[in-house]
Amino acid sequence: MSSSPKLRVGLLGATGTVGQRFILLLSGHPNFEISVLGASSSSAGKAYKDAVAGRWKQVKEIPREVKDVVVGDCSVDRFKQCDVVFSGLDSGPAAEYEHVFRAAELRVFSNAKNYRQDPLCPLIVPLVNPSHLEMVRTQQASLGLQKGFIVTNANCSTTGLVIPLAALEQKFGPLELVIASTMQAISGAGYPGVSAFDVHDNVVPFISGEEEKMEQEAAKILGHVQGGRFVNAGIKMSAHCNRVPVIDGHTETVSVRFLNRPPPDAEQVKEALRQYTTEAQQLKCHSAPERAIIVHEEPDRPQPRLDRDAQNGAGVNVGRIRQCPVFDIKFVVLSNNVMIGAATSSVINAEIALAKGYLS
Amino acid sequence: MSSSPKLRVGLLGATGTVGQRFILLLSGHPNFEISVLGASSSSAGKAYKDAVAGRWKQVKEIPREVKDVVVGDCSVDRFKQCDVVFSGLDSGPAAEYEHVFRAAELRVFSNAKNYRQDPLCPLIVPLVNPSHLEMVRTQQASLGLQKGFIVTNANCSTTGLVIPLAALEQKFGPLELVIASTMQAISGAGYPGVSAFDVHDNVVPFISGEEEKMEQEAAKILGHVQGGRFVNAGIKMSAHCNRVPVIDGHTETVSVRFLNRPPPDAEQVKEALRQYTTEAQQLKCHSAPERAIIVHEEPDRPQPRLDRDAQNGAGVNVGRIRQCPVFDIKFVVLSNNVMIGAATSSVINAEIALAKGYLS
Amino acid sequence: MSSSPKLRVGLLGATGTVGQRFILLLSGHPNFEISVLGASSSSAGKAYKDAVAGRWKQVKEIPREVKDVVVGDCSVDRFKQCDVVFSGLDSGPAAEYEHVFRAAELRVFSNAKNYRQDPLCPLIVPLVNPSHLEMVRTQQASLGLQKGFIVTNANCSTTGLVIPLAALEQKFGPLELVIASTMQAISGAGYPGVSAFDVHDNVVPFISGEEEKMEQEAAKILGHVQGGRFVNAGIKMSAHCNRVPVIDGHTETVSVRFLNRPPPDAEQVKEALRQYTTEAQQLKCHSAPERAIIVHEEPDRPQPRLDRDAQNGAGVNVGRIRQCPVFDIKFVVLSNNVMIGAATSSVINAEIALAKGYLS
Amino acid sequence: MSSSPKLRVGLLGATGTVGQRFILLLSGHPNFEISVLGASSSSAGKAYKDAVAGRWKQVKEIPREVKDVVVGDCSVDRFKQCDVVFSGLDSGPAAEYEHVFRAAELRVFSNAKNYRQDPLCPLIVPLVNPSHLEMVRTQQASLGLQKGFIVTNANCSTTGLVIPLAALEQKFGPLELVIASTMQAISGAGYPGVSAFDVHDNVVPFISGEEEKMEQEAAKILGHVQGGRFVNAGIKMSAHCNRVPVIDGHTETVSVRFLNRPPPDAEQVKEALRQYTTEAQQLKCHSAPERAIIVHEEPDRPQPRLDRDAQNGAGVNVGRIRQCPVFDIKFVVLSNNVMIGAATSSVINAEIALAKGYLS
């Protein structure tokens, strides 16, 4: 694939936290080439490096080829020539722009929450349900479009959780009940995001709207498409969401009950998670991790500081797989909220769409 | 009660983290007076202030009346005149000394884990099951003792949890299922305890033996005494234990299912927790909190940094009481692990024992 | 003094971080009584507890007597009956309101930076230069006022530093050179203040305007009043200001060179700091610390977490007093930036003013 | 050079914190090949991956080629065939083994403090004084050795500081006075090292022996070799050392006074630091950074979290270069204490020694 000419990429919300991650992921990408950068009017007209001056909060430097690209506003005319548009917009501007881009026949891969529960828009975790991409055709037919569509990816805390859940369902059949408690990183709230005064030496046991997102998104992602409609999975989930003083990496403790009896034991679960591979790997997508799930045997892993950067944050880490005295199995999952939990998901989704012919 | 002569108190493990808390709690106490201090042989012979030099890690200064008390070893002869002995020993030395003290007719209130599951020793959370003190008489009869006994208090993560559970059971009948996930403070591991390299910017999703303690201790504490035996509660519990970078205060997310149907709703639960009062309050124990449970209505409380010191850490804080999509009710509980979770429990237990005549 | 009727206090900026500290300090104060609360128009008309809902970030609860006081705006008419007005305003609104209040014959004790370098306004650290209060008379005469004046207190990082410097100058004569490097707490930036993303697992070696404030304020505070004018001290100071992940308490490393030769040795310095007492203590001001400076002999103290709350944060802590290979003496000073570094200074300044007759 | 056969490397203290860094740096190295691993007797006989089980605290995984290498003790016989020996030993075992290795004609590059002030052993910061390697010949002659020697590298807090100081001296002549205040990372203390209870939400303004090391080591490193002897630089330095809650990266604030008058201004200093190149770069040493010093123009950089991993931690970062009101110039330097501050220095020292013929 890398011998084809690269697709021209537009980026909405290029200067924000998620936008900066898109910039790093797309730099040197074999299939995509950053072509147009859009941001708020305060950045318009500035070179990218000036637009993010004092706000570039990445450990890596701004890629050379992007530094002097002039940022513009998000008017659709500027993006007309783009083959793909990634949106790192917050939900406010996303509501304003994304549907306009789609109406202008642009393909939008969005990290915003706005269209996640839309009956026409796929909500795709690339290591779980890329098959939902087929709804793109229904979406286009319904709206009378040839090329334009919106594909969304999930909330960061949902993403980390549904990957092992999908692996379990693939091997052992439907899950009936899930109770999950999260310990979410500071970076999940963007920048400036969480006040240090609130989270330093502290736990904040509340993230507005987060528990509802997890409970609702999981049902759609783990569901299926039938007759041009999304059919939710029957799984019942309860989420407890907490913010903890960790810079990157969402840790979640999970107890699950399977529908089929008898349920698998811990060793069978470990084996199933280890063996789980997905279309993203089979299609050899550039940004996909080698292993969807790294299973840890050490008693005290995964840990965010030590494991969040494995595979450049594109897979998830699962450990402490053991019997649950109340349900069947319990475990810990760690995912990199700014990578597979955000920009990396959008990019792999686009890579899969490219491989499966949705971008031609 | 405060007009009676004070009881003479011996303190085992006086220089350690828990011992330092005992020192602060007993300073100026109306019923108790520190009389003999025991520690390891390396401290023996030193004035208390010298024995803890470089290791006194409390925000408050060493109480004046204790500074120059000479610390000795833990040989039982030194404690013969004590009316009460508090033990802040680790389980190793606790195994060596506590039974010797009991055999010498001393009353031992222990924070160590050794005798918590002993069929003769009460495991008492003072805001939950002080009625179990009656087993002291069975213990004495079984061992042929007149005065000596061992009473234990619970592990810090258990203590915070069982207080609201007991309040719910008192009002709504037995709980059937509980899934809890903890975010435990650094101080729970003593000193030097957790390496900063392990917990800084990190979550460690494992604390050795902790989940088992929670699951087993809760059953005994919430159970009852019948015919001179402990009868465990039928509650099934699953605990996920995590260490987070917070200095003091264990936060726990909890989902519960009641045995009786229909279960109470969130408002009824709030009301029940608010109204919960215990024998410790009724007996006007000096160290008991005014309110066993502070119920928070703000969406993002309790938080360890802001709420751990309410009522000098002697009560617990509960918030985010809401319906659970999987069980009946979910909530967050915060307890001060070094206060009600450790030394404060021992001291209130002794205060109750005094009020009920077990110390005469 | 406490038998006199209490003075009526107005509070500007009552809902902000500094305002909340004023509320706590003035609750139960023997001389002052909170009478009028002013805040921005968004808070006007609300009961105090509602105006700070979700923003009350203190470990202590809102004092009972203030909870239901209705907050108003900062229009001067509301404050006409006040004997004293404390201002916790940020510099923007301070510029708008403080001079109006003074013109209306109100006595304003301000924590804002606006008038610190004003040639008529005293800049007073209560444990250093309360004698500068005499400039209040010059200020009134110049402006044709009978009662109104503005007295300011210093920036938090300046306050902690000048207290030991003043003690040294009092005993050993003028200081010639000072190089100080600060490690300043998160709370120094107010709320929401510092983003957790910026300061977590990090040091930010820059606080806008802070180094200049320290260098300039110290010269005025350590100077004297002569002929109705402020005469700066001849001290030359260089400050390095850093933000570190600590919630409260500014730690500063300091090297000093005395003008007089030979300089004192470390033991003489310790003795001088220990013996330092100030007018605030002599006047028995309610909020003044018993000891202006606590001198630590332990090799690793003071530390912010352990020492910031000594004496309710009203004094400073100095330790590691030793010879400096480049200058004469070096040491570490720790001060509680939200107490003596902010509201406590204003309140003690007013207590001194009261005792010396400036409020009648 | 990389076409020559690789030199066989022995590693002392292979399982410790510094040893783990050596492992990572030497994996895939073009000149060196790990051949023999030595550790304490408790590790002897185990495969490396088992010897470090539960103690491998690196973000990167154990290199494949090392996982199954059997670790032995530190007896010199096991290392006889090594061309180079790196020592990551603590000072206790270093005192026992390093001189024995040298006597057995082994070349030892040590990170331990033991021989840093030895009149025959070079103390080399590779980006400062590799010319001191010539003393190896004197050392060998004095001790009657053909090949064996000990070369040391500096303490982590010294290393970060002397690199910009050397750049300044090279361009502007000798420095007369330096006052530096450090904010040092947790990892500087090894593992388990600092208790979380000590450093969480805290600053510890004391690191045993650290200030003396900085003051003494800088004089030797910035000095020169004359007539087979080390001649210390005339620089006078005062160091204030502090531990802060940062995982990696030592930040230091520095004020300097030049001997020559008039001194350079801030712009000249920036230019000199930017242009500073060293023998390590000229010899194209594999582990040397492209730029010895990265100069930051942003007002709030360098910061440890954002800048410590630039150039894999092999260079230093300097920012906030400005006039000092007391001395001439002040600035902030950040260095990665576990990389250039420890193992990376040893490795570059060996690379330079190889290039200059000291290893043949």
Side-chain angles (χ1 to χ4, degrees), chain A residues 57 191-192 194-196 198 200 245, chain C residues 57 191-192 194-196 198 200 245:
Chain A
K57 300 283 177 180
Y191 184 81
V194 185
S195 165
D198 280 330
H200 178 80
Chain C
K57 301 284 177 180
Y191 184 79
V194 185
S195 165
D198 280 331
H200 178 79

Side-chain angles (χ1 to χ4, degrees), chain D residues 163-202:
Chain D
I163 296 171
L165 297 188
L168 294 178
E169 294 205 329
Q170 187 188 74
K171 182 76 175 185
F172 306 113
L175 288 161
E176 185 188 1
L177 303 174
V178 177
I179 293 185
S181 187
T182 72
M183 292 166 280
Q184 299 184 224
I186 291 162
S187 60
Y191 184 81
V194 185
S195 165
F197 201 83
D198 280 330
V199 82
H200 178 80
D201 184 29
N202 208 9

Side-chain angles (χ1 to χ4, degrees), chain B residues 57 191-192 194-196 198 200 245, chain D residues 57 191-192 194-196 198 200 245:
Chain B
K57 301 284 176 179
Y191 185 79
V194 186
S195 164
D198 280 329
H200 178 80
Chain D
K57 301 283 178 179
Y191 184 81
V194 185
S195 165
D198 280 330
H200 178 80

Side-chain angles (χ1 to χ4, degrees), chain D residues 29 32 37-38 58 69 90 96 111-112 138 175 200 205 213 223 226 233 237 277 326 330 353 360:
Chain D
H29 195 285
F32 302 131
L37 299 180
Q58 308 300 323
V69 173
D90 286 336
E96 188 177 345
N111 193 60
T138 308
L175 288 161
H200 178 80
K213 281 185 207 165
Q226 194 170 27
M237 184 182 302
T277 57
V326 169
K330 55 183 173 179
S360 32

Side-chain angles (χ1 to χ4, degrees), chain A residues 17 21 57-58 186-187 190-201 245-248 305 308, chain C residues 17 21 57-58 186-187 190-201 245-248 305 308:
Chain A
T17 307
R21 293 286 172 170
K57 300 283 177 180
Q58 308 300 322
I186 292 162
S187 60
Y191 184 81
V194 185
S195 165
F197 201 83
D198 280 330
V199 81
H200 178 80
D201 185 30
V246 164
I247 196 78
D248 287 325
R305 195 170 70 71
R308 62 194 170 204
Chain C
T17 308
R21 294 286 172 172
K57 301 284 177 180
Q58 308 301 322
I186 291 162
S187 59
Y191 184 79
V194 185
S195 165
F197 201 83
D198 280 331
V199 81
H200 178 79
D201 185 28
V246 165
I247 197 77
D248 288 325
R305 195 170 70 70
R308 62 194 170 203

